[in-house]
């Protein structure tokens, strides 16, 4: 299983260091062998020695240049970062990245061999138009994306479930993941209001191969607990 924490615009550099320290100690105490990814804020990116793989929540699709406010691959190289989150709903809907922007970024980091966690998911108004329309909408988010890329991980995150405490039913997640698995054999994570109390149910659903956790991952012990739950499910 793959267990990922998206820390978003939270935790300072010092807080992130403390977070990683307690996460690493918890993971090793519980002998976690699952793949654990953490995406801290850009100013908290750093070299890291441990079980956790550090990824960036964003970067521009260039090594460097005149892209005010962005970071490029040279800034990631400095810290040995080789993992990136692309297509998160906040980047699509709050920061206005288009599918074309995402494809450019995807291709740039694919060509550098990065592990890419690529997010897809529908807003509520699309979901309310029915299953077929919703799947069509999500299909468009696959346009231009190399779904056979060997270092690809896909995360299905319904926009209306992110940070709201709402989650689709297990049956919903199962049927959507089943459809999405037809598009790519890449590991498929679920994200959107996953927390300690529902992680077991979510991770137990067919075709859920991991989770991408935001708010509930901000407490290292809770995130570690979710890694432990994933490990128990994988073993059973
Ligand atoms: P959430 O966020 O767990 O706070 O809903 C998930 C995400 O945005 O990846």
């Amino acid at each position: 299983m793959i267990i990922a924490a998206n820390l978003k615009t939270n935790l300072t550099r010092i807080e992130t260091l403390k977070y990683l320290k307690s996460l690493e100690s918890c993971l090793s105490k519980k002998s976690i062998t699952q793949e654990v990814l953490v995406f801290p804020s850009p100013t908290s990116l750093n070299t890291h020695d441990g079980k956790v793989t550090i990824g960036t929540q964003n970067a521009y699709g260039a090594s460097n240049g005149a892209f005010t406010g962005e970071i490029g691959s040279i800034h990631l190289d400095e810290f040995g970062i080789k993992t990136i989150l692309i297509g998160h709903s906040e980047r699509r809907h709050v920061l206005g990245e288009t599918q074309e922007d995402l494809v450019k970024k995807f291709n740039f980091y694919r060509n550098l061999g990065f592990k890419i966690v690529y997010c897809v998911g529908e807003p509520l108004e699309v979901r309310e138009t029915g299953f077929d329309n919703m799947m069509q909408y999500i299909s468009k988010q696959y346009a231009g994306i190399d779904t056979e890329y060997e270092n690809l991980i896909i995360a299905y995150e319904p926009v209306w479930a992110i940070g709201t405490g709402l989650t689709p039913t297990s049956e919903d997640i199962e049927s959507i993941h089943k459809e999405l698995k037809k598009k790519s054999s890449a590991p498929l994570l679920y994200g959107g209001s996953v927390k300690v109390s529902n992680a077991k149910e979510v991770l137990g659903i067919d075709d859920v191969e991991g989770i991408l956790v935001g708010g509930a991952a901000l407490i290292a012990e809770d995130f570690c607990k979710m890694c432990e739950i994933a490990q128990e499910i994988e073993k059973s």
Side-chain angles (χ1 to χ4, degrees):
M1 296 252 188
I2 301 166
I3 319 300
N6 175 9
L7 305 181
K8 307 193 181 185
T9 315
N10 297 298
L11 305 192
T12 62
R13 192 170 176 79
I14 289 176
E15 286 166 346
T16 304
L17 277 173
K18 280 193 201 146
Y19 176 91
L20 288 169
K21 208 170 157 206
S22 43
L23 181 59
E24 286 289 355
S25 111
C26 181
L27 293 174
S28 72
K29 228 184 278 162
K30 295 184 193 287
S31 309
I32 301 298
T33 52
Q34 309 302 301
E35 183 171 354
V36 182
L37 309 175
V38 173
F39 296 90
S41 75
T43 62
S44 304
L45 291 175
N46 209 342
T47 50
H48 178 75
D49 192 15
K51 158 108 202 72
V52 170
T53 301
I54 304 295
T56 185
Q57 292 173 21
N58 184 42
Y60 198 74
S63 62
N64 65 295
F67 309 107
T68 302
E70 296 283 311
I71 57 170
S73 64
I74 60 164
H75 307 99
L76 302 175
D77 287 347
E78 197 175 8
F79 301 119
I81 308 283
K82 291 292 264 177
T83 302
I84 185 168
L85 196 60
I86 295 180
H88 189 277
S89 88
E90 285 144 21
R91 303 251 14 131
R92 291 179 191 268
H93 301 291
V94 183
L95 284 312
E97 287 186 6
T98 64
Q99 187 65 21
E100 202 187 345
D101 297 332
L102 299 174
V103 168
K104 269 194 215 152
K105 194 182 296 199
F106 185 100
N107 289 338
F108 181 82
Y109 285 99
R110 179 199 55 185
N111 291 341
L112 293 179
F114 270 58
K115 180 171 285 187
I116 298 176
V117 180
Y118 182 70
C119 304
V120 298
E122 81 292 350
L124 189 58
E125 63 272 20
V126 173
R127 168 164 277 245
E128 283 169 345
T129 61
F131 190 80
D132 291 347
N133 270 328
M134 176 179 76
M135 291 316 298
Q136 263 177 32
Y137 178 94
I138 299 172
S139 287
K140 290 191 186 136
Q141 298 176 324
Y142 281 73
I145 298 297
D146 175 3
T147 53
E148 286 172 18
Y149 177 46
E150 55 183 5
N151 278 327
L152 173 64
I153 297 168
I154 294 173
Y156 167 61
E157 300 203 301
V159 180
W160 53 275
I162 297 177
T164 57
L166 303 171
T167 44
T169 63
S170 296
E171 292 72 30
D172 269 354
I173 298 176
E174 189 174 332
S175 52
I176 295 163
H177 273 230
K178 197 168 162 213
E179 283 301 303
L180 297 183
K181 278 309 270 189
K182 294 180 190 160
K183 298 182 183 298
S184 170
S185 61
L188 182 57
L189 317 185
Y190 169 79
S193 294
V194 180
K195 46 188 181 279
V196 174
S197 57
N198 63 11
K200 190 170 178 195
E201 185 179 348
V202 172
L203 285 162
I205 300 170
D206 276 357
D207 290 326
V208 171
E209 294 159 294
I211 44 177
L212 176 54
V213 190
L218 287 172
I219 312 258
E221 290 68 29
D222 286 356
F223 184 58
C224 183
K225 180 78 196 151
M226 290 184 250
C227 297
E228 195 183 2
I229 293 169
Q231 179 135 318
E232 280 162 12
I233 289 178
E234 186 149 285
K235 281 190 181 153
S236 64

